[in-house]
Structure formats: structure tokens, C-alpha cells
Amino acid sequence: AKAEEAKYTWKTLTSVPVSVHDVKNMYISPDGSKLFIKEKDSSHNATLWMSADDGATWRKIFSKQINLEYASFSADGSKMVLGDLGISRFYMSTDGGQSWTERRLDSVPGGVREGVRISPDGSFLASCSGDTAPYTTHISTDDGQTWTQKGTNNIGCPRNVFNNGTIISKQVNDGEMAKSTDYGQTWIETPGVLSGDHFTAFSNNG
């Protein structure tokens, strides 16, 4: 079901192309224009479906035999990043899912811990290395072709990124959060600021 604007009404999607048993996750682009369904079948094929008409019709935009664990989208869904946590390979589309390029994080020592995140305007990607603190942030401004090492924090890898270079890292179970306003170069850590293991959300402009 999907909420329409701020009316707090819901409608049932009746044309979903995936069996309820194979649905592993659902996403929505930050501007609300696109819906996504992640499917995984018994053969471990990961498929991403997209709807640009509020779920009336669906199009398969990605399908590979990988363990698809994370997805990140620009505000309008024109740029997308898909990948497997802990693996230095990820897939990126810059044309709304029509084509995909495999990228590698070979320049990020130790691989990637929490996946690759994309800013709402698609101008940069953020990832990090390290299984334990300190976590080193890495930034790409050319759609993942090259990466620049930034600073470190003791909380975690980037979980939310914003157009103005603000990056938020968090460990929800411990209530910890770190924030950078300079693309991960410096960080302010605020342990205990989050409420236990509850969900958190942030606006696109940080």
C-alpha cells in the first residue's frame, strides 16, 4: 500500500509482479515518483522491479545472481546503487535503471562495510572501510569510478547522505550517531542521542 501526499490515505497495489513470498524489500524514491520491489527467488536470483505510475505497471530493471542487500536512490530515481554488504563490487545506473555498470571499490582498503550511499541530487557517493572503529569514509564524485579517502569516526559507516556534503553515521542499537558537514572529512560524535533500537529518518536536506 502507498500513502498519497499528506492525506494519510492508502491504496492497495493489485498489479504487483512478485509473489508475496519472494518480496524481500520495498523502496520508494525520495521524491515519491518511483516505487521499487526487491525480489529473490529460490535460485538466489535478485531482481529489482520499478513502477513510475504509483504501482499500476511494473518493469524489471535489474536481475543478477547476487546477494542484493542494499539499494540507494537519488531523489528522482535517475541514479541508483545496488550491492552486497561487505563486498567491494556494486552496480550503478545513471539512466533510471535502463543500463547498469559494475563498479569496484578496490581503492577502498578493506572493502565496504555498510554499502554505497548516493546523495539526493546524485552528485556524490559515500562508503567506508573498516570492520571496527575507526571507520574511514570514502567519497566519489564520478559515479564510483574513483574514490577519495576522507576522515574517520568511531560510530559507523555513512548511512544517510545529503546534497550539502552532510553525512550521518549511526549505530541505532547503541543509540550512537556521528555527523559530518564536510563530506566526511571531520566528524562530530554524539553517543546515546538516538532512542535505542527505534527507527530513525532524516529529511533530504539534512
Side-chain angles (χ1 to χ4, degrees), residues 155 171 174-177 189-196:
I155 303 300
Q171 290 288 347
D174 299 323
E176 299 181 336
M177 186 176 77
E189 299 177 8
T190 53
V193 70
L194 302 176
S195 300

Side-chain angles (χ1 to χ4, degrees), residues 78-125:
S78 61
K79 288 189 175 184
M80 313 177 197
V81 175
L82 308 175
D84 183 358
L85 296 179
I87 302 298
S88 62
R89 178 186 66 240
F90 68 98
Y91 298 89
M92 180 158 189
S93 175
T94 59
D95 55 11
Q98 297 185 61
S99 61
W100 295 86
T101 301
E102 180 179 320
R103 301 287 193 202
R104 299 194 67 86
L105 290 162
D106 295 332
S107 62
V108 180
V112 55
R113 183 174 179 273
E114 291 289 350
V116 178
R117 311 294 175 179
I118 189 169
S119 61
D121 65 359
S123 63
F124 76 97
L125 308 178

Side-chain angles (χ1 to χ4, degrees), residues 11 29 35 49 55 65 77 103 144 147 157 171 189 196 199 203:
K11 67 179 180 181
S29 60
L35 304 177
W49 297 84
Q65 195 169 36
R103 301 287 193 202
W147 293 83
C157 292
Q171 290 288 347
E189 299 177 8
F199 288 105
S203 61

Side-chain angles (χ1 to χ4, degrees), residues 119-193:
S119 61
D121 65 359
S123 63
F124 76 97
L125 308 178
S127 188
C128 89
S129 57
D131 290 327
T132 58
Y135 303 97
T136 303
T137 301
H138 299 261
I139 299 294
S140 174
T141 57
D142 56 8
D143 296 331
Q145 297 182 66
T146 60
W147 293 83
T148 301
Q149 180 174 316
K150 296 293 186 176
T152 63
N153 74 80
N154 293 305
I155 303 300
C157 292
R159 300 293 295 273
N160 300 84
V161 297
F162 307 96
N163 297 338
N164 58 5
T166 295
I167 303 174
I168 291 177
S169 300
K170 57 188 177 182
Q171 290 288 347
V172 178
N173 291 340
D174 299 323
E176 299 181 336
M177 186 176 77
K179 180 179 179 180
S180 172
T181 57
D182 55 8
Y183 295 90
Q185 189 63 48
T186 60
W187 293 85
I188 297 175
E189 299 177 8
T190 53
V193 70

